[in-house]
Amino acid sequence: MTQFSFELLAEDGAARLGRVHTAHGAIDTPAFMPVGTAATVKAMLPGSVAATGAQIVLGNTYHLMLRPGAERVARLGGLHKFMNWPGPILTDSGGFQVMSLAKLRKLDEDGVTFQSHHDGSRHRLTPESSMDIQRLLDADITMAFDECTPFPATPEQAAVSMRLSMRWAARSKAAFVPRPGYGLFGIVQGGVYPELRADSAKALLEIGFDGYAVGGLAVGEGQEAMFATLEVTTPLLPRDKPRYLMGVGRPSDIIGAVLRGVDMFDCVMPTRSGRTAQAFTRRGTVNLRNARHQDDPRPLEEGCSCPCCRDHSRAYLHHLIRSEEILGPMLLTWHNIQAYQDLMRSLREAIAEGRVAEFAAEAARLEALGDI
Ligand SMILES: O=c1[nH]cnc2c(CCNCC3CCCCC3)c3[nH]c(NCc4cccs4)nc3cc12
């Protein structure tokens, strides 16, 4: 039976090439995890997600506990069977989504009480219930129940919030049921304050986790502050465990974070943007609603192997978007996920060959050119 583990295969500065082994398969890192909110990567078939090169997807505890319910998913064989995704799945703890989506949230030492944004029914999430739900979903990687410290926060506010998350991290670890091939990740908090980040990392190491996420970032602090915080945080985390930067990000954010020691990423942008006609290319984002594309016979991105770029023109994509045809968001979602997976593969190859700094410089140069 596979044990949950992380293989460190190569290093190039602080950047790492690795492989995470889980009960449902391996993940090559640096890795981008497409978000599968309500047990689906929106507008994509599971086979299409796999065809992009994605090896792991995210499931959303908040949504699934409300509908169809974690017990129902468990009765139906767990999330892998329910959504027909045989590969690894990471579920978030539900905490972040409760704070951003639910109504009438009441947070106390024990957890969060909230009303469903669907029907107003009352629910409660605690470290213990979050672990139970993630186990019912059969997540290969379970996230500790934390509070994402709002931004901006004073050092005092960030300290109070971080200490609550550390108490919740200990309770998450105590409630987590260890199984071969299944892992639990802790989440570092501490705002943009180096001492608090150090305190949080130290607290999590004492509790002991299979992987370490950096939370509380990509919440409006800006790329410079995010990178500065990573520079004082990742060096404090174990070299032989995966690091996961939550909610990141744009391609330039991901590249900069990989250079600062991050291995795993999740972000709603490639899927959400795909549905709003925003396409990610090596030369920056392209808005296909823009009339400049209406006579353009070229593919969205030269050299991209996805069905959107392989089989269709910008003029056609523009037409689909303007006509609000379902195929529009389908093709752009596929392209965006493929573009992110191609970026991660290029980063892995660059690290393996010891040229990741050069890769980052070239990527920044191309993006600065803008689309033509
Ligand atoms: O400290 C954190 N703790 C827990 N989760 C965080 C998340 C959510 C990560 N994606 C979850 C996914 C689970 C499946 C459904 C989709 C989300 C963050 N996202 C961002 N920035 C991006 C942001 C997105 C929205 C507002 S900021 N910063 C984050 C910080 C934390």
Side-chain angles (χ1 to χ4, degrees):
M1 201 46 186
T2 314
Q3 289 304 319
F4 186 93
S5 65
F6 177 65
E7 259 184 286
L8 182 57
L9 299 170
E11 292 177 283
D12 182 353
R16 301 126 57 82
L17 176 71
R19 188 168 296 138
V20 180
H21 294 275
T22 79
H24 286 89
I27 305 128
D28 294 303
T29 64
F32 180 81
M33 305 183 283
V35 166
T37 301
T40 152
V41 177
K42 291 182 175 21
M44 294 283 281
L45 294 168
S48 310
V49 176
T52 67
Q55 295 168 305
I56 177 171
V57 299
L58 247 69
N60 189 318
T61 293
Y62 171 76
H63 284 86
L64 294 171
M65 70 185 276
L66 297 180
R67 188 177 60 192
E71 293 78 5
R72 173 165 290 116
V73 173
R75 280 199 305 274
L76 292 163
L79 203 44
H80 296 88
K81 193 151 173 37
F82 189 54
M83 68 185 285
N84 189 28
W85 173 260
I89 294 175
L90 179 148
T91 51
D92 75 310
S93 74
F96 185 82
Q97 298 279 307
V98 162
M99 298 317 280
S100 49
L101 286 179
K103 295 181 301 204
L104 296 172
R105 304 169 309 271
K106 197 175 93 38
L107 186 142
D108 55 51
E109 175 65 30
D110 184 52
V112 185
T113 305
F114 61 95
Q115 287 189 270
S116 161
H117 68 286
H118 297 305
D119 58 13
S121 54
R122 283 168 56 78
H123 298 265
R124 185 154 179 68
L125 259 182
T126 65
E128 292 77 15
S129 65
S130 175
M131 295 303 109
D132 290 344
I133 291 166
Q134 295 181 73
R135 186 175 63 257
L136 286 167
L137 298 174
D138 194 31
D140 297 273
I141 299 176
T142 294
M143 297 306 295
F145 188 72
D146 70 329
E147 179 193 45
C148 174
T149 303
F151 179 83
T154 65
E156 293 69 29
Q157 289 165 335
V160 167
S161 172
M162 179 271 285
R163 292 190 192 113
L164 175 64
S165 285
M166 296 306 100
R167 293 193 294 276
W168 282 356
R171 286 170 52 189
S172 298
K173 174 71 181 287
F176 178 71
V177 176
R179 291 185 282 169
Y182 290 78
L184 173 66
F185 281 22
I187 305 175
V188 181
Q189 293 291 344
V192 292
Y193 305 109
E195 303 78 29
L196 295 182
R197 287 282 171 181
D199 291 352
S200 181
K202 183 167 173 289
L204 293 182
L205 264 64
E206 279 165 18
I207 298 167
F209 288 95
D210 303 301
Y212 295 84
V214 181
L217 293 177
V219 286
E221 75 284 358
Q223 190 180 80
E224 190 183 339
M226 179 169 80
F227 286 171
T229 303
L230 286 175
E231 285 163 14
V232 301
T233 304
T234 56
L236 304 175
L237 300 176
R239 192 164 154 266
D240 64 343
K241 297 274 173 46
R243 294 98 175 246
Y244 162 24
L245 178 55
M246 306 188 83
V248 174
R250 292 166 308 169
S252 66
D253 299 326
I254 289 175
I255 293 169
V258 165
L259 265 56
R260 291 166 174 85
V262 176
D263 307 304
M264 297 164 72
F265 300 87
D266 90 274
C267 185
V268 294
M269 283 177 78
T271 38
R272 186 173 294 169
S273 305
R275 299 194 302 280
T276 60
Q278 291 289 329
F280 286 90
T281 75
R282 283 188 293 275
R283 298 177 65 128
T285 56
V286 177
N287 180 347
L288 280 150
R289 281 196 69 85
N290 191 306
R292 73 185 178 92
H293 303 295
Q294 65 185 356
D295 295 307
D296 193 337
R298 296 175 305 159
L300 171 58
E301 182 152 43
E302 293 295 344
C304 177
S305 64
C306 81
C308 173
C309 298
R310 183 189 62 206
D311 303 338
H312 301 294
S313 66
R314 287 169 175 232
Y316 180 63
L317 294 169
H318 174 71
H319 160 71
L320 291 178
I321 295 300
R322 287 293 178 120
S323 315
E324 301 194 356
E325 283 294 334
I326 295 171
L327 186 58
M330 288 169 66
L331 288 172
L332 287 180
T333 298
W334 187 317
H335 169 77
N336 284 346
I337 295 181
Q338 181 85 49
Y340 268 64
Q341 295 305 323
D342 291 348
L343 169 63
M344 305 320 288
R345 191 180 56 250
S346 300
L347 279 163
R348 294 195 294 267
E349 288 165 359
I351 296 167
E353 295 163 16
R355 55 178 177 76
V356 76
E358 292 79 0
F359 173 82
E362 174 61 7
R365 189 186 68 77
L366 267 179
E367 186 174 28
L369 288 179
D371 186 44
I372 43 170

